[in-house]
Amino acid sequence: MKLKHLLTLPAAFAMAVPAFAGSIVIKGSDTLGAKFVPQLAEAFKARHPETTFNIAAEGSATGIAAIIDGTAQIGMSSRKVELTEEAAAQAKGVKFSPTVVAHDGIAVVVNEKNPVTKLTKKQVEQLFTGDMTDWSAVGGKGGTVSIYTRNTSSGTFKDFKNMAMKKRDYAASSQKMAGNEQIVAEVGKNENGIGYVGLAYTKAPGVKVVVVEGTELTEENVRTGKYPYSRETYLYTNGVPAGETKSFVDFAVSEEGQKIAEQVGFVPVKK
């Protein structure tokens, strides 16, 4: 999914605040790029009307790659950079500089009509790897489990695999979706569906969040790391950001930026 923002405001307002005359290209995570970063860009634009944004949210791997090849100033990622990516960056003289912009929790979601309300970590692993294929095995009504995952370029795809599945492969029957919104849409219309999404996407109609290992997905449990699939999200730059890029990254972690994070559904890094 691509989101492009080329925003304009009245020239009179442009004289009232300091302005940047440039374009910021941001690529990467759908978790960050579907809602949070575009709203940050809108708010930043109100302060700096001459700045334009080009935002493409196609998965964390694409954002990290864009920093390596120099096609974006900012890479959005819902996971940490991997060793192979560090090596590729080093070969090109690129040094990753991460900024944590929000805490997140990966929610396990099922259809609201599914009687299952809680799962152990072992059951989550078994459902997503295909060891369990019928809902009756975890106390649900009989029915073949339909698994919805993100695509392989997604940071959430890798994070969930590492945190919930002991790095095992997803079931061969799993269906890969382009983004969080697509997953909740499919689970919301399939009584046998199960998937995972970032915290900001749990309010979608037709789905409910499952309690994992007796722990609810709450802001406090994510902030403290008590929830088993808690994580941080990042904006990556090549070296310490400068100019308008620095101003935008600083804005993301400012009080105003963190209020946007909270409004969207993330857990702010500053409270």
Side-chain angles (χ1 to χ4, degrees), residues 43-108:
F44 186 86
K45 182 69 179 177
R47 295 170 176 263
H48 308 290
E50 293 184 9
T51 301
T52 60
F53 290 88
N54 187 319
I55 304 173
E58 299 174 324
S60 297
T62 66
I64 292 168
I67 297 301
I68 295 172
D69 62 27
T71 57
Q73 288 102 316
I74 297 173
M76 304 175 286
S77 182
S78 60
R79 62 169 174 83
K80 293 181 179 178
V81 167
E82 298 177 345
L83 291 177
T84 54
E85 293 165 332
E86 288 275 14
Q90 189 174 9
K92 290 193 173 184
V94 171
K95 182 175 178 58
F96 289 113
S97 178
T99 299
V100 177
V101 290
H103 298 289
D104 190 24
I106 305 177
V108 177

Side-chain angles (χ1 to χ4, degrees), residues 103-109 196-203 208-212 214-223 226-231 265 267:
H103 298 289
D104 190 24
I106 305 177
V108 177
V109 292
Y196 54 80
V197 293
L199 185 57
Y201 304 87
T202 57
K203 304 299 184 184
K208 64 181 180 183
V209 177
V210 174
V211 174
V212 179
T215 304
E216 294 184 14
L217 179 59
T218 65
E219 179 175 325
E220 182 64 19
N221 286 341
V222 167
R223 189 187 304 280
K226 183 179 179 181
Y227 179 71
Y229 310 139
S230 301
R231 61 180 179 171
V267 177

